[in-house]
Amino acid sequence: MTREEEEIYVRYALSLHNQIGRLTIALVYKKLDVAEYERQLAETRAKLAEVEKRTGEMRY
């Protein structure tokens, strides 16, 4: 992976972290029910785990 590709993954990971924050805020303000929150949170965490795996592979 090139440095540019790594930067893309890092930006994507930051975006996913922000998405988790937005989901949590939506839950707190009752704009999202718990089941939907948990579903979307699981999907986002799975994407984040994949990004972390790929960036970890790039470093070693």
Side-chain angles (χ1 to χ4, degrees):
M1 289 263 153
T2 66
R3 180 75 176 155
E4 292 172 355
E5 290 171 323
E6 185 177 353
E7 288 176 7
I8 290 169
Y9 278 112
V10 169
R11 283 189 298 235
Y12 183 51
L14 289 173
S15 171
L16 291 170
H17 280 288
N18 287 334
Q19 184 175 350
I20 290 171
R22 287 190 302 273
L23 287 171
T24 304
I25 289 169
L27 179 66
V28 168
Y29 288 102
K30 300 182 191 305
K31 295 181 179 182
L32 199 61
D33 69 352
V34 175
E36 182 64 18
Y37 169 79
E38 290 176 345
R39 184 187 69 74
Q40 289 187 29
L41 184 61
E43 288 176 5
T44 304
R45 284 185 173 163
K47 291 176 186 175
L48 186 57
E50 182 64 28
V51 169
E52 290 173 346
K53 177 183 168 191
R54 289 183 187 209
T55 56
E57 290 171 353
M58 287 187 287
R59 295 180 189 274
Y60 302 106

